[in-house]
Amino acid sequence: MRLPLLSLLPLAAAKTILPPQEPHHIFSNPSEQTAFKIPTSYESAILARRILHLTPLGTLSTIFPSSSQHASSSSLEQRPTGLDGIPIGLMDYIADCESTGNPTILAINIATSFKNVASGSNISLSLQWTPPYPPSSRISLFSSANPSQYSAANLPRFSLLGYLEPIPEEEVEANDIGSCFVESHKDAKYWLPGNKIHASEWVRLVVREVYWIGGFGDRAYIGWIPVEDWRNVSKAEWKGVRLPGEKKGWREWGAEVLGGWEL
Ligand SMILES: *[C@@H]1O[C@H](CO)[C@@H](O)[C@H](O)[C@H]1NC(C)=O
Ligand SMILES: *[C@@H]1O[C@H](CO)[C@@H](O)[C@H](O)[C@H]1NC(C)=O
């Protein structure tokens, strides 16, 4: 005899929020009061700094230079025509090895992102929070769906906008940047500066602007985070908060609150 599908699901996965808290503003903060207290940009900055610390991969976006200012016209690269000014986003390894909120990156000179930077492009790093656990309390829409699916639109993501600068040798040594980076990325030991395969160097993304989407706009902050707030977040602050799904048992339609994410 076939069992009803529901009885095969873990008990917790069948729970839904009553009444369901449907989002009323998805991509912006409403001007009127909502059922939730929308966090301040500083509270969001704390969550963002925690995401930076816990997330080893991000997307670097740069812009192709005009063909005339191409830094390496003599290089082997054959690039299609018509790319001038077009943005390209590519995944790369990142780490949080300085206390300033400027991400640490190992720039490989021949990689497209860093060639564009060498030709004068600014850069942005886009990060998203991916919960390691599925939610245990579901919105009714998804409650019978694959438990590994969740509403990613209600989860934090953000972009750090700025430029790259080399990390001076003294600071690489003083802050032990190499060990910090390899702790997150064991394989990167093969392309550390001085390796025999590719020329590489330590750089930091100097953050100038931060754009944050914390989740649905009626319960999370959506907008620019002042860069002074971003830089000012202390280690104790980002260590003291929790993100949705860091631990088992979180509510899919939860909200950002002071002290992290309500569970
Ligand atoms: C990089 O950003 C700065 C600051 O916004 C701007 O002044 C500069 O023109 C940008 N560089 C390029 C190549 O677009
Ligand atoms: C940064 O933090 C320090 C110490 O907590 C505080 O005195 C200062 O006012 C803060 N700066 C900004 C711009 O928030």
Side-chain angles (χ1 to χ4, degrees), residues 66-98:
S66 72
S67 318
S68 56
Q69 51 174 152
H70 209 212
S72 48
S73 48
S74 64
S75 82
L76 304 169
E77 183 209 33
Q78 301 258 309
R79 157 187 142 182
T81 55
L83 290 181
D84 300 14
I86 304 278
I88 180 167
L90 292 165
M91 182 280 278
D92 220 313
Y93 287 5
I94 57 155
D96 181 29
C97 298
E98 300 187 280

Side-chain angles (χ1 to χ4, degrees), residues 63 69 116 119-123 162-163 208-209:
I63 290 175
Q69 51 174 152
N116 285 347
S119 301
S121 173
N122 284 310
I123 190 163
Y163 59 92
R208 275 191 156 142
E209 304 288 351

Side-chain angles (χ1 to χ4, degrees), residues 173-252:
E173 276 170 29
N175 297 323
D176 209 355
I177 298 285
S179 313
C180 164
F181 198 86
V182 171
E183 207 171 286
S184 303
H185 304 286
K186 303 261 180 292
D187 52 343
K189 72 175 186 187
Y190 295 111
W191 51 94
L192 294 182
N195 77 85
K196 291 188 180 127
I197 311 170
H198 293 307
S200 64
E201 65 174 325
W202 295 113
V203 296
R204 59 169 70 103
L205 195 166
V206 180
V207 177
R208 275 191 156 142
E209 304 288 351
V210 181
Y211 189 73
W212 166 262
I213 302 179
F216 294 144
D218 62 348
R219 61 199 74 186
Y221 175 68
I222 295 179
W224 296 95
I225 291 177
V227 73
E228 305 75 42
D229 287 354
W230 168 262
R231 293 191 186 128
N232 226 14
V233 171
S234 68
K235 189 169 182 178
E237 283 173 312
W238 64 250
K239 282 202 148 183
V241 297
R242 287 296 172 268
L243 294 159
E246 275 193 55
K247 296 207 169 121
K248 286 180 185 163
W250 58 287
R251 295 206 299 114
E252 182 167 29

